[in-house]
Each structure stands twice: as C-alpha cells, then as structure tokens.
Amino acid sequence: MSRLPQWVGGLGAGLTRFAQRLDERKAQTSGTADASGEGSAPTSAGMSASSDTHGSSGTPTSSGAGAPSGTEQAAAGQAPVGVAVSEHEHVPPPPGYAPSVAPRPDPVAAVPWGVRVAAEVAWRLLILAASLWVLMRMISAVQLVVLAFVAALLITALLQPTVALLRRHGVPRGLATAMTFISGFVIMGLVCWFVVWQVTENLDDLTENVQHGIAELKTWLLNSPFHVTEDQINNIADNLSKAIGTNTKDITSAGIEGVTVILEVLTGILLAMFSTLFLLYDGPKIWGWLLKLFPAAARDGVAGAGPRAWATLTAYVRGTVIVALIDAIFIGIGLFFLDVPMAVPLAVFIFLFAFIPLVGAVVSGALAVVVALVTRDMFTATMVLAVVLAVQQIEGHVLQPFILGRAVRVHPLAVVLSVAAGSLMAGIGGAVVAVPLVAVTNAVVGYLRAYARENALRTAAGEPAPEAAGQVVPAGSEGPPGEGRG
C-alpha cells in the first residue's frame, strides 16, 4: 500500500503531459503564432490532490521518488513538466516585398515540338533500319536458297497459265503439272545447250576474227590523228602479258572459285526445279497456309493483296518474255543480214539479257556492236548499232506500254536503282529479280492503302464490313501460284 501514492502521482503527471501536447496540437491547427512557447499549467486541484496524498502518507512531495524532478527529466532527454514541446518548428511565410520565384517547367514540355517529333521519327527509323539490316543479313546467309525460290516463282508465273489451260480441257492436275514442268524445263535446257553449242562451234572463227580485228585496230591507230606509235602499242601489249603472268596465282584461284560457283549454280537450279514443281501442283494449299500465319485482323487485306501481287508478277513475266522474244528476233535478223558471225547466239544472249530491264538491253546491244566491230568493220558496227537502237526504241515506246500495260508500270528511276541495288547485293540474279519485286511491292502497297481507306470510310458511315475479296481466289492467272480455273 506504500507504493500506491507514487503510482497515482506518476499517472497524474502523465495525464498532465498528454493534455499539454493536445493543447499544442490544437494551437498549431488553429494557426496560433506563439503556440511553441505556451502550454497549459497543471491544475491546482491535481497539484493539491497530489500534495495531500504525499503528505498524508508521510513521504516526500511531488519532487520525490514518485515524480522525477525537472533536472532529472532534462538529463533523461525529456522536457520538464509545464514546458511546451513543439514537434514541428513553425516557419513564417515570406514577406510581401519578396520576389516571387516561378516553378521550374516540366522537362518534356520544355522541349520544342519540332524536336520532339524529330526524335520520335528518328528512333522509329533507327528500329526499322536495324530490322532491315538483320533481315538482309539473314537473306545473305541463305542467298542461294532465296534466289532459287524467287527464280522458281518467276518460272511458275510463266508456266502456270499452261497448267490452267490443260485443266480447263479436263486434264487432271497432276498430269497437267507434270506435262508443263517437263516441257518447260526441256525447252529451257535446249535453249542453253544451243547457245553453248553455237559458241563452241564458232569459237575458232571468232578467235581468228578477233585477231584480225585487233591487227586492223592497230593499223588504224598507227594511221590515226592520235599519233600513236608502234612502240607504244607494243609496250601496252607487253604490259598486258606481264600482268597476266604475274597474276597467274590469282587466275588459278579464280578458276577454283569458278568451279565452286558452278556447283552452287547447279544446286540453285535443282532447288528452283523442285520448288517450281510444288508451286505448280500445290500452289493454292501453300497460299492458304501462308494466310494462316497472319493475324486475323490483317488476314482479309493480305488475302485480297495476294491475287493482285500474283497477277502483277504473271503479267510482268509474260510481257517480258514476249518483249525479249521480239527483240531477239528482230535484232537477230538484222545481224544475219549484216553477215555478223554468231548471229543466232547473239540473238539468244539478247533474249536472256532482256530480263534485266534497261541495263540488259544496253549490255547485249553493246556486245553485238563489239562483235561486229572486231569481226567486220566500222560500217557494219554502225549499222548494228542503228538496228539495236531502233528495236529498243520500238520496245520502249510501243511494245512495253501495249503488252505490259499499267499493271507493272514502274518509274525508270526506280528500275535503275532497283537493278543497281539488286546487282550489288546478289549479282546477276539480284538484278533479274529486282524489278519484279519492286512491281509486286508497288501493287501490294497500293491495294492495302485503298483497302484501308475503304474500311475507314465504311466504318465512319456505320456500314457492315463486306466479305474479304481474297477469301475466294479469282480463277485463271489472277490467283496465287498454281491456282487456275478447273
């Protein structure tokens, strides 16, 4: 019972401190400026009750053991009783004459609009360039397979109308495919064999004519107004011989690389033949499988763009073959009547080089002129040049617009740039497939743009979406590989 008064005294002191802190909080919330220096004093009733309690028990007063003194509270890190403690120091507002400081703007808002747009476009272009670079690296790693498949697509575009014609006459698909495949590759093989046979048969005569032409060229240079001496011509010939002798190792290595190239060409031919066979037979199934790889939202547009791309490719290959055949026939007739050696092989070369737009015609025509100049004379070479230019002008202004039409119309600048880029990336094969690739891409992009515009207008008008144009493949040559009217 002796410790009860001390416990009661400590409880009273705690309640007093709690009341003081509550008053301080109320003063802070009400905005009193001098709340930190004031507090509520202990009530006299509490103090007298505590004093009477201590006095009645004969123990010390409130400064005794039950309630620590102010010095002891200060030593213990506590404020003495009756002194107000502020947990947050009050900061007075700035005076009215102080200058106002504007807040810092948002960094994004501080960047000019043009710079922000340029940055957005720049990083997207960087991502597209990186993706294109990765794609080109992947294609270059399997360049032989890609070129073989593209060549198979071109051959399929040439042979597929024949398969469709045979099917319309009741021939089964398998038999029609086999007949077209075998006859097509036999004809192409015979053409290649004929060219090689003609070149080997006329090689001796061509060598003699070249030597005779070089002798005539030497005589013409000696008598020309360029004042070229015989010693200078002999020095040029000796330098050429020395260059050939010193580069024998390079020529040998080039011969070994030539053997490797021949093996790669044979492999590519086999891949192209195998791909052509299955594209002719299973073209619709392959197209349907490719459609399933696209998202459902984009499948309708791709299904409509596919037949148009195939129609463009078929029109390009068919028109190019017809134009090349006409060029080869008329230039070959001109070479024959001008008595130029190897007129038929030169005509075949003109036909093959016609598949490289613009550049192929220039190269094949220059080859015919050089052969006429070396084997005949300057007058014959001039006449060959006139024949080549006349046929090419008729081709460019009459045949191509009439045969190819608007389906594969590509600007000449795009043709030259695509041929140059294709030849740099994949040699002759890249130059051959560059222009049809650009034509197909142009057709696909144009259709998808028109399709998106029609969908936007239809959505704005609230009309229901019609059936996709590509779900049912048009008959004949308008469909994907191998599709035709049965």
Side-chain angles (χ1 to χ4, degrees):
M1 294 299 293
S2 61
R3 298 184 59 87
L4 180 60
Q6 297 178 3
W7 181 81
V8 173
L11 180 61
L15 291 175
T16 302
R17 289 195 299 271
F18 177 77
Q20 292 175 355
R21 293 180 180 178
L22 184 60
D23 293 337
E24 291 172 1
R25 292 292 181 89
K26 290 181 178 180
Q28 289 179 2
T29 55
S30 62
T32 306
D34 53 351
S36 59
E38 294 182 1
S40 300
T43 58
S44 57
M47 291 297 292
S48 61
S50 177
S51 176
D52 293 340
T53 305
H54 288 290
S56 62
S57 59
T59 56
T61 58
S62 61
S63 61
S69 63
T71 306
E72 292 175 352
Q73 289 179 353
Q78 299 178 357
V81 179
V83 179
V85 179
S86 177
E87 295 182 357
H88 302 283
E89 184 179 359
H90 178 72
V91 178
Y97 57 84
S100 61
V101 180
R104 292 185 178 180
D106 187 9
V108 177
V111 180
W113 175 255
V115 177
R116 293 171 63 183
V117 172
E120 294 284 341
V121 174
W123 73 260
R124 286 176 171 82
L125 289 178
L126 288 176
I127 292 177
L128 289 177
S131 303
L132 183 61
W133 182 81
V134 172
L135 179 63
M136 297 307 299
R137 294 289 294 179
M138 294 173 62
I139 292 176
S140 63
V142 290
Q143 178 180 348
L144 180 62
V145 178
V146 173
L147 289 179
F149 182 74
V150 174
L153 279 177
L154 296 177
I155 298 173
T156 304
L158 180 63
L159 300 179
Q160 185 268 333
T162 306
V163 177
L165 178 63
L166 293 176
R167 289 196 62 198
R168 286 197 298 270
H169 287 80
V171 181
R173 174 179 288 275
L175 182 59
T177 301
M179 292 172 59
T180 305
F181 175 79
I182 294 173
S183 60
F185 276 94
V186 165
I187 292 174
M188 287 185 286
L190 289 176
V191 170
C192 295
W193 171 80
F194 179 77
V195 172
V196 174
W197 173 62
Q198 285 291 315
V199 171
T200 54
E201 284 291 326
N202 295 276
L203 187 59
D204 295 335
D205 295 338
L206 182 63
T207 304
E208 294 178 0
N209 291 328
V210 168
Q211 292 176 354
H212 179 69
I214 291 175
E216 289 185 353
L217 180 62
K218 180 180 178 180
T219 304
W220 181 80
L221 288 174
L222 290 175
N223 298 325
S224 66
F226 298 107
H227 304 288
V228 179
T229 62
E230 187 173 0
D231 293 336
Q232 293 176 342
I233 297 175
N234 293 332
N235 289 332
I236 294 174
D238 293 339
N239 292 331
L240 290 175
S241 301
K242 291 179 181 179
I244 294 174
T246 55
N247 296 325
T248 304
K249 294 182 179 180
D250 296 336
I251 295 174
T252 304
S253 62
I256 297 174
E257 291 179 358
V259 174
T260 306
V261 169
I262 291 175
L263 293 177
E264 291 182 354
V265 169
L266 292 176
T267 304
I269 291 174
L270 292 177
L271 285 174
M273 293 175 64
F274 189 77
S275 302
T276 302
L277 178 62
F278 281 96
L279 287 174
L280 287 173
Y281 184 75
D282 278 337
K285 295 181 181 179
I286 297 173
W287 173 242
W289 177 80
L290 287 175
L291 279 179
K292 295 178 181 179
L293 298 179
F294 290 90
R299 196 170 297 163
D300 293 343
V302 176
R308 285 155 182 80
W310 182 248
T312 301
L313 183 62
T314 304
Y316 173 83
V317 175
R318 189 184 305 170
T320 303
V321 169
I322 295 174
V323 172
L325 187 61
I326 294 174
D327 287 352
I329 290 175
F330 282 97
I331 294 178
I333 291 174
L335 294 176
F336 177 77
F337 281 107
L338 290 173
D339 199 17
V340 178
M342 296 194 308
V344 177
L346 286 175
V348 175
F349 275 115
I350 290 171
F351 173 79
L352 296 177
F353 276 94
F355 285 91
I356 306 176
L358 297 181
V359 180
V362 174
V363 173
S364 59
L367 179 63
V369 172
V370 169
V371 171
L373 177 63
V374 172
T375 57
R376 288 294 178 259
D377 50 18
M378 182 64 70
F379 175 76
T380 305
T382 305
M383 294 303 297
V384 170
L385 179 61
V387 171
V388 170
L389 291 177
V391 173
Q392 289 182 357
Q393 290 298 316
I394 296 174
E395 169 200 339
H397 293 87
V398 179
L399 295 179
Q400 284 188 353
F402 179 74
I403 296 175
L404 297 179
R406 300 179 61 88
V408 291
R409 179 170 294 180
V410 181
H411 196 275
L413 179 60
V415 172
V416 173
L417 294 179
S418 60
V419 170
S423 61
L424 289 176
M425 290 188 295
I428 297 178
V432 171
V433 304
V435 177
L437 180 61
V438 171
V440 169
T441 304
N442 185 30
V444 170
V445 171
Y447 171 79
L448 292 178
R449 186 186 297 115
Y451 179 80
R453 189 184 304 113
E454 290 178 1
N455 276 351
L457 293 176
R458 192 178 297 111
T459 303
E463 300 177 1
E467 269 186 39
Q471 295 294 337
V472 179
V473 180
S477 63
E478 297 295 325
E483 187 69 23
R485 288 172 291 183

